[in-house]
């Protein structure tokens, strides 16, 4: 069992989870089989020091993205896989945000009580969209391992 209270451990865990999910999508959705994904290792943000002069850190922009056109049926497959995969992780509060689906923009989110978030956004090709599949992770503020010593 991982100690997700430690910043480095949490970052590694969430990177591993979006990487595993990307691999699942590559196997389940034909349009995603042999595409090139752009990876971004994200940015570490440093919080204000606490009363012991130690600083928490958070990680933003940890992501994979690819400009690829998929079908509405593929979106449903991705939603089913997203739901099934992330309910078995530390981000089991899963939500489908349907506000912009009528214009071909889909958003799935998995969060936890600490504030960590995994997000999957899909834009179908259309008047308002450039086709895109986007997976990202946000790791909320935590202390580094050396701060626990």
């Amino acid at each position: 069992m991982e100690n997700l209270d430690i910043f480095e451990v949490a970052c590694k865990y969430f990177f591993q989870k979006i990487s595993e999910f990307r691999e699942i999508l590559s196997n389940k959705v034909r349009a995603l089989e042999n595409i090139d994904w752009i990876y971004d290792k994200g940015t570490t943000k440093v919080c204000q020091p606490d009363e012991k002069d130690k600083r928490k850190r958070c990680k933003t922009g940890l992501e994979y993205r690819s400009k690829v056109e998929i079908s509405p049926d593929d979106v449903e497959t991705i939603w089913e896989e997203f739901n099934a995969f992330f309910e078995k992780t530390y981000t089991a509060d899963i939500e489908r945000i349907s506000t912009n689906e009528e214009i071909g923009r889909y958003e799935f989110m998995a969060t936890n009580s600490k504030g960590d978030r995994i997000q999957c956004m899909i834009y179908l090709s259309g008047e308002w969209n450039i086709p895109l599949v986007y997976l990202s992770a946000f790791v909320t503020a935590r202390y580094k391992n050396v701060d626990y010593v």
Side-chain angles (χ1 to χ4, degrees):
M1 182 81 97
E2 297 93 353
N3 183 357
L4 293 182
D5 290 334
I6 298 172
F7 177 73
E8 297 90 343
V9 174
C11 289
K12 182 178 178 184
Y13 175 81
F14 289 109
F15 169 69
Q16 178 183 4
K17 290 304 163 194
I18 65 171
S19 296
E20 286 174 22
F21 185 64
R22 180 184 57 94
E23 287 301 317
I24 288 170
L25 293 184
S26 295
N27 293 325
K28 297 281 184 172
V29 178
R30 181 174 290 266
L32 301 177
E33 280 179 358
N34 294 313
I35 63 165
D36 292 327
W37 291 87
I38 297 170
Y39 166 69
D40 191 341
K41 66 180 180 173
T43 304
T44 300
K45 308 285 185 179
V46 181
C47 302
Q48 294 292 323
D50 64 11
E51 62 279 351
K52 296 178 183 176
D53 208 31
K54 295 183 180 183
R55 296 173 181 253
K56 288 185 175 182
R57 286 153 172 76
C58 67
K59 186 97 165 176
T60 62
L62 184 60
E63 65 188 36
Y64 285 104
R65 65 187 177 280
S66 185
K67 291 182 179 178
V68 61
E69 192 166 337
I70 63 173
S71 71
D73 290 338
D74 292 337
V75 172
E76 293 308 315
T77 300
I78 293 171
W79 164 242
E80 290 167 13
E81 294 300 324
F82 186 89
N83 206 9
F85 181 80
F86 287 106
E87 75 180 359
K88 299 175 196 151
T89 68
Y90 290 110
T91 52
D93 185 11
I94 299 167
E95 180 180 9
R96 180 173 179 161
I97 302 166
S98 58
T99 333
N100 291 318
E101 289 185 4
E102 63 189 28
I103 62 170
R105 293 182 181 179
Y106 298 83
E107 183 176 2
F108 315 136
M109 197 175 316
T111 58
N112 64 22
S113 59
K114 290 185 179 220
D116 302 312
R117 181 178 64 236
I118 303 280
Q119 189 174 18
C120 176
M121 292 175 49
I122 302 166
Y123 290 179
L124 299 182
S125 182
E127 181 180 358
W128 302 102
N129 302 324
I130 295 172
L132 174 74
V133 177
Y134 171 84
L135 302 170
S136 70
F138 170 76
V139 181
T140 195
R142 291 173 166 78
Y143 290 109
K144 289 176 69 172
N145 194 30
V146 295
D147 293 333
Y148 284 103
V149 179

